[in-house]
């Protein structure tokens, strides 16, 4: 090994042993800042959704960008809180080890059945501490991997939407309108199809890249989508995570975890909306009534002053677009 390489390896090994201090500092500051940022991003979401109306498709993309930022902040906060909890357990375990050393099963005088079971499951206290250390480090890296993936998804949508708008304008200038529309839809479907294939390869931890006959055809599209999603930024973290058994298990949980959090985040509870007690079309939503809608909520389609008409006529507001 070269002297410079030896110094670099020694330096990195030292950083690995002391990285927990940096992790705690980053986690604490990030949670504090991102909780405040979530409220500000919600304000941006409301304002941009109104200002971007009428931009022919780009309005939804702009609003989606803010939503992705909010989801990314939420993921960071959730994961870093989990990281702080695990690091707290890890620090307490190290302190306990200093006081009492390893677990002495002989002193517990357990029945043989329980003694064999606990020795097999716990093994040693040092192994427990090492496992906690590994989990904490992976959770910390996993947090920012999720954020990078969300931004890659946003970049993919931005590029495909932009290409759709550009090709539509270009084809309409050169070709008849119906032909231009068919070509635009065809190009969009091709991009979505290969984007889905790229996603399948990602969530299956590179399964498609292991098929030799498919690699010749898949490689150009892989390079293209890697470029537009900037996946080279987080690719080393991703492959370093999945090159061992424990990391692959975490990688397989990536997509279900993201979907579950987004699903829970999109849920809302509205009390007393069913009239009289039936589901379906017999429901009342507060967003359509001025006296019930929250001040920060925007009017999506239309609204009326109240559920009750008191002045003999009904005022109706329809949102202009």
């Amino acid at each position: 090994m070269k002297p410079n390489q030896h110094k670099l390896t020694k330096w990195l090994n030292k950083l690995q042993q002391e990285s927990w201090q940096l992790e705690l500092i980053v986690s604490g500051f990030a949670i504090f800042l991102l909780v405040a940022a979530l409220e500000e991003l919600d304000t941006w979401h409301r304002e941009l959704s109104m200002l971007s109306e009428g931009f022919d498709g780009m309005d939804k993309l702009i609003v989606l960008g803010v939503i992705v930022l909010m989801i990314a902040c939420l993921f960071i906060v959730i994961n870093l809180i989990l990281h702080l909890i695990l690091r707290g357990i890890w620090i307490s375990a190290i302190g306990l080890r200093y006081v009492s050393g390893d677990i002495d099963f002989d002193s517990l005088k357990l029945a043989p059945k329980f003694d064999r079971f606990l020795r097999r499951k716990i093994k040693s206290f040092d192994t427990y501490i090492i496992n906690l250390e590994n989990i904490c480090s992976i959770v910390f890296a996993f947090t920012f991997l999720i954020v990078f993936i969300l931004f890659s998804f946003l970049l993919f949508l931005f590029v495909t939407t932009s290409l759709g708008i550009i090709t539509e304008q270009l084809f309409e200038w050169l070709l008849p309108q119906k032909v231009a529309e068919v070509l635009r839809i065809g190009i969009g479907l091709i991009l979505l199809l290969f984007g889905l294939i790229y996603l399948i390869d990602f969530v299956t931890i590179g399964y498609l890249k292991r098929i030799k006959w498919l690699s010749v055809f898949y490689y150009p599209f892989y390079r293209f989508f890697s470029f537009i999603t900037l996946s080279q930024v987080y690719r080393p973290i991703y492959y370093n995570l999945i090159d061992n058994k424990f990391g692959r298990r975490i990688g397989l949980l990536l997509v279900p975890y993201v979907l579950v959090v987004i699903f829970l985040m999109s849920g809302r509870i509205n009390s007393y909306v069913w009239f009289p007690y039936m589901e379906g079309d017999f429901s009342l939503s507060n967003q359509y009534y001025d006296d019930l809608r929250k001040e920060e909520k925007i009017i999506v389609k239309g609204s009326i002053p109240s559920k009750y008409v008191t002045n003999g006529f009904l005022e109706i507001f329809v949102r202009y677009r």
Side-chain angles (χ1 to χ4, degrees):
M1 182 181 293
K2 295 180 180 179
N4 291 336
Q5 184 67 29
H6 178 72
K7 289 181 180 179
L8 178 61
T9 303
K10 186 177 179 181
W11 177 68
L12 288 174
N13 290 334
K14 184 179 180 181
L15 282 180
Q16 286 177 201
Q17 296 174 1
E18 299 177 355
S19 63
W20 65 272
Q21 303 173 25
L22 297 175
E23 290 176 10
L24 288 175
I25 293 173
V26 172
S27 296
F29 276 104
I31 292 171
F32 175 76
L33 294 174
L34 291 174
V35 168
L38 278 171
E39 184 177 352
E40 189 65 26
L41 285 172
D42 188 46
T43 303
W44 286 9
H45 179 213
R46 294 195 304 270
E47 293 178 355
L48 287 174
S49 63
M50 291 186 289
L51 294 174
S52 62
E53 285 286 357
F55 277 90
D56 193 21
M58 292 301 291
D59 55 338
K60 294 181 177 61
L61 190 62
I62 293 171
V63 174
L64 180 63
V66 179
I67 293 174
V68 169
L69 285 175
M70 294 174 65
I71 294 173
C73 289
L74 183 65
F75 272 114
I76 294 176
V77 170
I78 292 173
N79 283 21
L80 292 186
I81 289 175
L82 175 62
H83 173 261
L84 285 178
I85 293 172
L86 291 173
R87 275 297 176 194
I89 298 173
W90 178 78
I91 292 171
S92 65
I94 291 177
L96 182 61
R97 183 185 182 279
Y98 176 77
V99 174
S100 62
D102 206 345
I103 301 173
D104 186 5
F105 287 102
D106 295 330
S107 65
L108 297 176
K109 298 180 181 179
L110 299 171
K113 190 175 184 65
F114 286 99
D115 186 72
R116 288 193 301 269
F117 172 77
L118 292 175
R119 287 179 187 271
R120 186 176 69 253
K121 291 295 182 180
I122 298 178
K123 294 181 181 178
S124 71
F125 200 62
D126 290 352
T127 303
Y128 173 73
I129 293 174
I130 292 172
N131 289 336
L132 275 176
E133 164 66 24
N134 293 335
I135 293 172
C136 290
S137 298
I138 288 178
V139 166
F140 196 75
F142 186 67
T143 301
F144 294 96
L145 180 61
I146 291 175
V147 174
F148 287 136
I149 291 170
L150 289 172
F151 281 118
S152 290
F153 174 71
L154 181 62
L155 286 172
F156 169 76
L157 292 179
F158 176 78
V159 171
T160 53
T161 304
S162 300
L163 286 175
I165 294 173
I166 293 171
T167 52
E168 182 180 13
Q169 298 296 327
L170 182 62
F171 289 153
E172 285 183 356
W173 182 59
L174 297 174
L175 301 169
Q177 183 177 1
K178 290 186 178 180
V179 177
E181 186 175 354
V182 170
L183 289 174
R184 178 183 63 82
I185 294 173
I187 292 174
L189 290 175
I190 290 172
L191 288 173
L192 289 175
L193 174 62
F194 283 102
L196 179 62
I197 294 173
Y198 183 79
L199 177 64
I200 291 172
D201 178 64
F202 181 85
V203 299
T204 56
I205 313 179
Y207 175 76
L208 299 181
K209 290 193 285 289
R210 294 193 288 270
I211 303 175
K212 292 184 179 180
W213 64 268
L214 185 62
S215 62
V216 178
F217 304 99
Y218 178 57
Y219 180 75
F221 296 100
Y222 172 77
R223 292 296 302 272
F224 172 72
F225 285 104
S226 296
F227 173 75
I228 66 173
T229 59
L230 297 180
S231 62
Q232 61 269 22
V233 174
Y234 60 86
R235 187 180 293 151
I237 299 175
Y238 172 72
Y239 283 104
N240 203 355
L241 178 68
I242 66 172
D243 66 351
N244 60 81
K245 187 176 181 181
F246 181 71
R248 282 193 294 273
R249 290 176 180 175
I250 296 295
L252 291 173
L253 291 174
L254 179 63
V255 174
Y257 173 65
V258 172
L259 293 177
V260 167
V261 173
I262 293 176
F263 174 76
L264 293 176
M265 185 177 137
S266 62
R268 296 290 185 273
I269 297 176
N270 292 325
S271 301
Y272 310 111
V273 298
W274 305 115
F275 181 79
Y277 54 82
M278 299 174 63
E279 297 185 5
D281 297 332
F282 304 98
S283 62
L284 302 173
S285 178
N286 293 343
Q287 66 175 336
Y288 297 115
Y289 307 100
D290 296 338
D291 58 347
L292 297 178
R293 185 178 55 254
K294 294 182 179 179
E295 185 178 353
E296 66 272 12
K297 294 293 183 181
I298 62 173
I299 298 173
V300 179
K301 294 179 180 179
S303 71
I304 59 177
S306 175
K307 289 187 286 187
Y308 310 102
V309 180
T310 57
N311 53 5
F313 61 92
L314 181 65
E315 297 179 0
I316 300 177
F317 173 82
V318 179
R319 180 175 171 181
Y320 172 75
R321 179 169 183 177

